[in-house]
Structures are given as C-alpha cells and as structure tokens.
Amino acid sequence: MSKLLRRIGARTCLLLVAIGILNARPGYADDEPRPLPGTQPLTQSGDLSALMRSGFEKFLLRELDASVALRERHWIRDFSSREAYEKSVHPNRERFRKLIGAVDPRVPVGDLELVSSVHQPALLAETSTYSVFSVRWPVLLGITGEGLLLLPKSPPIARIVAVPDADQTPEQLTGIAEGIPPEKQFARRLAEQGCLVVVPVLISREDTLSGNPAVAMTNHPHREWVYRQAFEFGRHIIGYEVQKVLALVDWFASENARHRAPIGVAGYCEGGLLAFSSAALDTRIDAALVSGYFDSRQKVYDEPIYRNLLGLLREFGDAELASLVAPRALIVEHSPTPEVAGPPTATTGRSASAAPGRITTPADSSVAAEVTRAGQIFPKEAPVKSAITLIAGESNQPTGFGSEAALRALIKGLGVGDAWRPSAAPAGRSAKVDPAPRQERQLRELVEYTQRLLRLSHKVREQFWIKAKPDLGADKWAEQTASYRDYLWDEIVGRFPPPTLPANPRTRQVVDRPKWTGYEVVLDVYPDVICWGYLLVPKGMRKGEQRPVVVCQHGLEGVPNDTVTEDPKAPGYGPYKGFSARLADRGFVVYAPHNFYRGGNEFRQLQRKAHPLKKTLFGLTTIQHQQHLDWLASLNFVDGERIGFYGLSYGGNTAVRVPALLTKYACVISSGDFNEWIFKNTTTDYFQSMVYHNVYEVWEWDLGHTFNHSDLAALIAPRPFMVERGHTDGVGIDEWVAGEYARVRRLYAFLGIPERTEIEFFNGPHTINGVGTFDFLHRHLKWPKPSGD
C-alpha cells in the first residue's frame, strides 16, 4: 500500500509540475502584474491622467504651429484688380463675420440721439473748432451704442470712430475727464484736425456693476459675463461691439449724402481689436489705425477668454485679417498695452470662477514679423498691394498709443493731407460725468438681448431640424440625420482625423475578483496622445464565447478606478457605487475609459488651445473612443455589435455626444446630466446655471441654435437611449429633465420604436442608481440577468 501511495504521489507531483509549466508565462514573477493575453506589458507608472493631458497639450501645440502654413488653403485670392480681389476674399470676410458673431441685421440709424437729463446737458464741452456731445444710436433690436460725439464747427475732413480700451471712458479719450495723458487723447487730437469723431463706450473688464447679476457671487469681468451667455448662441462680445462700430459707419455713410468725407476707425488695445475687426468686415472704412493689439495670435489661448474665437487660427492670424483690410490703409501702432494679469480678484464671499487670461505688450520682433507676413501675402508684381504701415519707436520699440506719427499716418491714409494743427484742451461745460450708469445700461442691454436669444432658441432649433422627418420611420432615420451628425462633428465638436497610430495595447492586471479580472489599459492614438482605462474581463467564459461590453464613463475630476472600486470609504467611490464592478459581476465585459476633464483649469486651458483650431476636447475624446471601440471589437471574447455606453455626470454629458457621433455604440444611458442643457448653460435666472461657475470650457459655439440634449439624443436614435435621474440631483430640476426627455420620447414614438427609450426617476441625489438602467442594458445588449435578479 505504501509503495502505491508513493507512486500516486509522484505522478501527482509530476502532473502538477506539468500544469504549472503549461500555465506559466515566462518572464513574469509571481508578484508581477500580468498583461491581458495578446497585449504587451504596461510598464508606465505615475499619474496617467496627467500624462494624457500632457500628450493632449503637445499635440495641440503642434497643430497650432502647423496652422500658419495651412491657412492658405482657405483663401483663393485674385490679385488682378481691386474689384476682383475684394470679390475673391468675400467668402473669407463672411466667415470672419460669423466667427465673431456679428451676424444680426442692424437697426437703421436715422441720426444720433443726444443724451441729456435735467441735471446733465448733452453738450459736455467745446472749443473754438468742435463741440462734445453725449449721444446714443440704435444698433440691434434692444441694443444701442452710447458715447461721445466730437462735432466740428466746419464740414468734417473725415468721419472717424475712435474706440478706447475697455477700461477707458470716452471722456478720458476726449480730455474732459482725467485718466489719459493729453498726448494720448487721440479722439480729441483727431477732432482738432477737423474730423468728426464718435467715441463709443465699451463693456469694461470690471466686475462691480449691479447689471452683472454674478457680481455678488463671482469675479467675472463684465466682458466675460457677456461672453459666457453669448457664445452658446453664436454671438460674442466682440461681435456685439463691432456691430456698434459698424452702426456708426452706417450713419457716416448716410451723412455722406450731405457732405462727403472718408471714413476711418482707430482703436487702442480692446478698441484696437474692434477697429481692426470692423475694417476687415466693412469696405466702406477707408483706413484703420490699430494700436496696442496687432500681433501674432498664436498664443491667443493665453489672452482673456472674451477674446476666444472658435476656429480663428484655421483661417485668420492678424496678417490674414490685414489682407481683408487691404488695399485700404492699415496703420499698426506698436504701443504698450494695459497690463492685465487676470480677472479681478475674488473678494470675500465670491467665488474665483472667472477664466484666467492676461494681456501683455507683445515682443517687438513678433509685431514686426506679423506686419512683414501681412505684406508678403501680396505678390510684388500684383496690381493689388498691401497698404500696411508699422509705427513704432527706435528699433521697433513700443511707442505711446495714439502718437502723433500714428494719427498723421491715419489722416494721410484717409487721403485728406498731412497738415497738423496744434493741440488745445476743450473747455468743460460739465465738470463731472459719472460713467457708471451708462456702463450699466450698456451691459444690461447685451445681457437682455442674449437672454432673448435663449428664450427664442427652441424655435431656431426647430427650424434647423426642419428637414428631418420622423414619420418616415426608424429605418430611414439614420440616413436622414447623417448631415446633422456631420454638422455636429465639423462645426461644433471639431473633427480630428482618425487615429494615426495602431492601438498597440499595453496592459497589466490590477484587480482580481471572484467573477472577473481587471486590467489597466493604455492605447496609442496620435504621437503623444494616448487612451487610458480599465478593462474588466469576466472569468469562466467558454472558448469562442463573445460577450457584450458596457463602457462606463466617470464624471468631472474622476479616474477609471472610481467606477470600479466597491469600497465606500475609497475617495472615488462617491456617486459611482462601483457600477463598473457590479456590471462585471453580472457577466458583462466592462471598459472604464478615462476622459479629459480632470486637473482643474489645466484641462480647461487645453480647451482654450483647441478652440482656435475649430476643435474641442470632446473632439479629441471622440477619437479616443473610436480607438477604444476598435480595440474592444478586436478582442476575441467581445461582440463588437453589442457595446453600450453608460456615463454619469460629465460622463452623462459624454453619453449624449460621443455616441451621437460614433454609431458603433449600440445603446446609451445618460445619468446625472441629461437636461434642458441650453437653458442650464446660459440662463442668468438660476444659480446652478453654468454661467456662475468655474466651468469655462463648457460653452459650445452656437449649440443653442442647433442641438439641445434631446437633439443629440435624436442622433443616437434609432439605437436604444435611456436617462437616469435622481429627484434631488442638483444638476437640474425634474421639470427641466422631464420636459427635455419628452421630446426624445415623442421622437421614438414617431419613429415607431417607443420601446427603445425610457427614463427612470429615483429618490436620490447625483449618483448611479443601477436598477432600471441595469435592466435596460440586459435587455438591449441581449445578455441574461443573473438568476434571482
């Protein structure tokens, strides 16, 4: 018997050794993380979220550098004559008009109105040659311009809009209030030469007016306050104020019927931006002076957010804009700018939620190089020439703004000679002018106009969607909405090219549970751009078995493990309740990718770098998800036709965007985000509105006139779509969510597939509920529920 036991024991040992040899993976110690079969070992360490952001930045900076050479493809210039040239660049001019949001029809300007009161006459000051009046003029429905008119007592030699910086008043630029040295009061100096001059008020960079409802809660500059509301409707503080300038040009043109005089614009810093943009748009302007603004715009992402323009650098640097002014005279004065280090400091009780951004005097070499580049656009032998002139100090050093040399060049560019009259300070009729009430009126008008756009936006969206006919049925819906998907991708999200690198998956095992194994995954997309996530693979799958996948998307400041951890004490457990792990327990393959929205303002500044390229971070994450999907579908245990998406919070926002573009997602759940999104983003009447918070990356150009959340869900249709909503979730209120979802339910009913959509309300906060949504996934991904569920 003992011999028999010894023989059995020996054979057992040999068998165990043989099994060990068969199962061993050469090169891995017992405690070393093992990769998923068929992938390379993941050896990267450290913060992979930070690595991903760093890769995004390197990629975007390369794209920005490349944009200069690529701009020419957007231009088809004909230099054969002035008429031919202006006709050839007209499409560029109109694209720039749309880009700054100067698209609304202006109200006709019959005449300027004098502004006075019982205690404040309209006439503020006068000299022997001109008078200064307080005036206003109509611009858009409900929007007026206000400022000062410097009216010569003889017929004017020219009519000029003199635009101050945002933190200067017309009175200062005219010399009837302190704040600007006499030699820099260029509105007054131009009036002394015999010009009719109007000086408009700009919205300031301050944050103190009661016309800004955010003033009690935030440090938003007034210009940013308008920007935050307007961007979502394809409007902009720049566009609004360019319209004010062009309304004056309308008036000047009508006055030319009485006495003809050339039209000019001149501006400093923010006013220089507006003068430059106005001259680029309107060929009735004969000459322009741009002081303290002209430069390479390659780092526009560092400037204040109220200068942020979607797609600017794809087609327009300052040199290209100068080519829209040509062959008219453009005088560039290299002068010191106001030093704006950032938004106003947040005082006690107010959140520091304004976007960072600074204004600094550009390098002499940078200004000179951009002026040179503007001239080089025009062939030497061409009949049409650039008429750009750089005014600077010795060795191109900055000169003071509104210098005599610059003003003389402007007068010469207007074709009215170069004689120069001596200066004489105006005599004041009114010792004090309080600019605050006027500033408040101007701010309130812009806010109310934009809020009116919000109130009417549903009608504009309905008109945008007019060609989509749900009564043709679900089978025709994808074909009908293909152009809308392209519009969303190209005009709003920003379409990046497909991945240029193979996925090259690297993985390592990070979790081992009774029912599944978890792997950390890194994939390549572009040079420096990676995907990162966690893959949970069920155990016990049969050979050749292919299972459905649920892509579980975390929210703001989250990481993949937040959706996986089942420890309520873990920092990331919070609202996710381990929903990735719970779905893996149910037999689903689960993939939890990392999205861009982590790192505070660090990731928000990446959005600033994407916008000039007419791109967004959602555009980049869409390409990441494309790589995720392709790799998942390549795994032999995955059914690539059954991949669903389930995201919470910012992940729920991702749920209505990425699957709207990537049709490989078979079903979609948006949790803790689906909303009357346009209202939430732009209303000033609700404290949870995005306009009050540090989320300056969320506004999407003209989204309010094209896609609300229900419209994005329409691009997901006819695929199954679900909303998960907690009654006490502060991202919105039930009535908003229910109202927006009703549009989705109606669409699916009209398509004849009402069973493919649903909403679950539950008594809870901003969290995964995981009841109806889990049932939804089982049903539409065709995976049986666990027994007893």
Side-chain angles (χ1 to χ4, degrees):
M1 175 66 74
S2 60
K3 289 182 180 179
L4 178 61
L5 289 174
R6 284 196 298 271
R7 289 167 61 190
I8 293 173
R11 290 175 180 174
T12 302
C13 288
L14 289 171
L15 179 61
L16 291 173
V17 169
I19 292 172
I21 291 171
L22 289 171
N23 288 335
R25 306 182 74 181
Y28 298 104
D30 290 342
D31 60 348
E32 186 176 354
R34 285 162 167 70
L36 180 74
T39 67
Q40 295 298 312
L42 175 60
T43 58
Q44 285 167 305
S45 59
D47 186 346
L48 292 182
S49 175
L51 180 67
M52 196 173 94
R53 290 195 304 276
S54 173
F56 275 18
E57 180 171 44
K58 291 175 183 177
F59 172 76
L60 291 170
L61 290 175
R62 285 198 302 269
E63 293 290 297
L64 286 166
D65 288 344
S67 69
V68 179
L70 294 174
R71 280 175 209 151
E72 196 59 30
R73 62 185 176 178
H74 297 286
W75 298 77
I76 306 174
R77 296 183 176 90
D78 184 344
F79 298 102
S80 61
S81 68
R82 176 168 180 164
E83 181 182 6
Y85 178 76
E86 290 186 347
K87 182 178 179 180
S88 71
V89 299
H90 179 75
N92 306 85
R93 203 184 307 279
E94 292 308 302
R95 286 195 291 271
F96 182 67
R97 188 187 309 277
K98 183 177 180 181
L99 190 146
I100 65 171
V103 294
D104 296 311
R106 290 188 297 277
V107 176
V109 184
D111 207 344
L112 303 192
E113 303 171 10
L114 297 180
V115 178
S116 63
S117 69
V118 171
H119 302 290
Q120 181 72 66
L123 178 62
L124 302 180
E126 64 179 344
T127 71
S128 60
T129 57
Y130 68 91
S131 303
V132 182
F133 295 92
S134 178
V135 293
R136 87 164 53 93
W137 58 96
V139 181
L140 306 175
L141 186 64
I143 294 180
T144 63
E146 290 194 58
L148 299 184
L149 166 66
L150 284 67
L151 183 65
K153 295 181 177 179
S154 300
I157 65 168
R159 297 183 175 91
I160 296 175
V161 185
V163 195
D165 179 48
D167 288 337
Q168 298 172 337
T169 68
E171 290 75 20
Q172 290 173 325
L173 201 62
T174 305
I176 61 175
E178 295 181 352
I180 296 178
E183 68 274 11
K184 297 180 181 180
Q185 296 165 4
F186 62 87
R188 176 180 62 82
R189 301 292 302 282
L190 289 168
E192 289 171 346
Q193 307 316 307
C195 301
L196 182 153
V197 181
V198 182
V199 189
V201 174
L202 300 192
I203 300 301
S204 77
R205 301 185 187 96
E206 297 176 348
D207 66 340
T208 56
L209 292 179
S210 59
N212 178 350
V215 70
M217 297 173 282
T218 76
N219 64 330
H220 299 160
H222 300 143
R223 298 185 72 77
E224 181 176 341
W225 179 240
V226 175
Y227 165 89
R228 285 174 171 244
Q229 300 164 56
F231 199 85
E232 197 91 340
F233 301 105
R235 305 300 190 273
H236 205 287
I237 181 66
I238 294 174
Y240 284 152
E241 293 190 325
V242 163
Q243 292 275 49
K244 293 184 179 188
V245 173
L246 295 184
L248 289 170
V249 174
D250 293 341
W251 181 63
F252 290 170
S254 68
E255 287 292 288
N256 272 345
R258 303 180 188 182
H259 171 75
R260 186 161 188 83
I263 296 172
V265 291
Y268 170 60
C269 197
E270 225 65 51
L273 184 164
L274 298 175
F276 190 23
S277 300
S278 299
L281 287 182
D282 199 324
T283 57
R284 296 175 299 176
I285 296 172
D286 297 295
L289 164 59
V290 177
S291 179
Y293 176 75
F294 194 93
D295 187 22
S296 165
R297 301 255 81 83
Q298 290 303 109
K299 292 187 177 181
V300 66
Y301 50 79
D302 283 335
E303 298 177 36
I305 197 167
Y306 44 80
R307 291 183 174 186
N308 178 52
L309 295 168
L310 185 73
L312 175 70
L313 296 183
R314 291 177 74 244
E315 190 168 350
F316 305 102
D318 280 6
E320 286 76 20
L321 283 180
S323 78
L324 289 181
V325 179
R328 294 166 289 146
L330 174 62
I331 294 86
V332 172
E333 183 178 46
H334 179 30
S335 62
T337 66
E339 293 298 316
V340 178
T345 302
T347 55
T348 303
R350 300 164 71 196
S351 67
S353 56
R358 62 183 185 271
I359 298 174
T360 59
T361 302
D364 313 333
S365 58
S366 179
V367 176
E370 193 71 5
V371 169
T372 299
R373 200 169 70 82
Q376 291 172 342
I377 289 173
F378 296 82
K380 291 181 179 180
E381 68 281 1
V384 179
K385 304 288 186 183
S386 170
I388 190 169
T389 301
L390 175 62
I391 303 294
E394 188 176 346
S395 301
N396 285 331
Q397 292 289 311
T399 183
F401 70 87
S403 66
E404 182 175 319
L407 298 180
R408 281 176 175 268
L410 175 63
I411 294 293
K412 184 177 180 181
L414 289 168
V416 291
D418 56 3
W420 197 253
R421 300 176 184 176
S423 176
R429 286 289 186 88
S430 176
K432 293 184 179 180
V433 176
D434 182 4
R438 180 181 60 195
Q439 176 75 199
E440 181 147 353
R441 286 193 300 271
Q442 291 285 283
L443 178 60
R444 283 186 180 277
E445 286 179 359
L446 295 184
V447 170
E448 175 52 32
Y449 185 87
T450 308
Q451 292 298 303
R452 185 172 181 270
L453 292 178
L454 166 61
R455 292 191 293 272
L456 298 177
S457 63
H458 67 283
K459 294 183 178 180
V460 182
R461 291 193 299 274
E462 288 170 2
Q463 189 62 33
F464 177 75
W465 280 88
I466 195 72
K467 295 180 181 179
K469 307 293 184 183
D471 56 328
L472 296 179
D475 292 343
K476 299 287 186 180
W477 187 247
E479 178 184 342
Q480 288 194 72
T481 55
S483 62
Y484 291 96
R485 182 172 290 106
D486 287 339
Y487 187 95
L488 174 67
W489 210 333
D490 294 329
E491 301 300 323
I492 294 174
V493 172
R495 192 192 299 257
F496 284 94
T500 59
L501 296 177
N504 184 27
R506 287 91 72 199
T507 68
R508 60 179 163 229
Q509 183 180 325
V510 290
V511 184
D512 187 20
R513 293 287 186 268
K515 294 184 178 181
W516 49 269
T517 304
Y519 297 90
E520 191 169 24
V521 178
V522 170
L523 309 175
D524 291 329
V525 181
Y526 304 127
D528 297 313
V529 177
I530 61 168
C531 306
W532 169 47
Y534 277 21
L535 178 70
L536 312 186
V537 181
K539 295 179 179 179
M541 286 189 285
R542 300 184 305 275
K543 185 177 180 180
E545 180 182 5
Q546 292 186 320
R547 293 198 184 182
V549 181
V550 182
V551 173
C552 294
Q553 189 65 69
H554 65 76
L556 182 65
E557 298 295 339
V559 292
N561 190 55
D562 293 346
T563 73
V564 176
T565 182
E566 299 170 273
D567 180 3
K569 296 180 181 179
Y573 179 80
Y576 303 106
K577 298 180 179 177
F579 79 115
S580 287
R582 291 161 61 195
L583 287 166
D585 284 341
R586 290 170 167 262
F588 290 103
V589 176
V590 174
Y591 187 64
H594 185 53
N595 262 15
F596 60 83
Y597 34 74
R598 185 168 183 261
N601 284 355
E602 186 178 328
F603 88 77
R604 295 186 174 97
Q605 286 303 105
L606 293 177
Q607 185 82 306
R608 291 292 312 274
K609 292 179 173 71
H611 271 185
L613 298 165
K614 201 177 180 182
K615 300 291 194 295
T616 70
L617 291 182
F618 268 123
L620 263 179
T621 211
T622 297
I623 297 303
Q624 286 180 308
H625 276 259
Q626 182 176 324
Q627 193 78 311
H628 294 317
L629 285 167
D630 290 345
W631 177 67
L632 288 169
S634 74
L635 299 175
N636 58 13
F637 53 85
V638 165
D639 183 347
E641 299 299 313
R642 292 187 291 162
I643 301 178
F645 192 107
Y646 187 179
L648 172 69
S649 193
Y650 224 132
N653 200 14
T654 308
V656 294
R657 280 169 176 72
V658 171
L661 298 173
L662 300 181
T663 58
K664 287 184 179 180
Y665 279 115
C667 69
V668 179
I669 301 171
S670 176
S671 177
D673 188 82
F674 187 89
N675 225 315
E676 216 295 7
W677 183 248
I678 304 305
F679 184 80
K680 177 183 171 65
N681 267 4
T682 56
T683 182
T684 59
D685 295 331
Y686 178 63
F687 175 65
Q688 292 298 336
S689 170
M690 296 297 196
V691 295
Y692 292 105
H693 298 282
N694 184 26
V695 288
Y696 61 84
E697 82 287 357
V698 302
W699 295 286
E700 296 163 281
W701 182 252
D702 208 23
L703 188 75
H705 286 151
T706 50
F707 299 94
N708 208 335
H709 272 183
S710 61
D711 304 300
L712 294 170
L715 295 181
I716 294 170
R719 292 166 287 161
F721 176 74
M722 183 178 181
V723 173
E724 185 176 50
R725 160 73 190 171
H727 287 307
T728 58
D729 189 341
V731 301
I733 59 176
D734 286 348
E735 290 80 357
W736 296 357
V737 178
E740 189 66 13
Y741 176 75
R743 299 173 185 270
V744 178
R745 180 65 174 74
R746 180 177 61 195
L747 171 64
Y748 276 69
F750 285 174
L751 292 173
I753 50 172
E755 71 283 355
R756 294 189 194 176
T757 187
E758 58 188 272
I759 188 169
E760 181 184 59
F761 290 95
F762 64 93
N763 190 18
H766 188 67
T767 185
I768 292 288
N769 191 45
V771 179
T773 51
F774 284 13
D775 290 344
F776 185 85
L777 291 168
H778 281 289
R779 182 164 65 256
H780 292 291
L781 292 180
K782 299 179 176 62
W783 181 248
K785 295 182 184 180
S787 59
D789 184 66

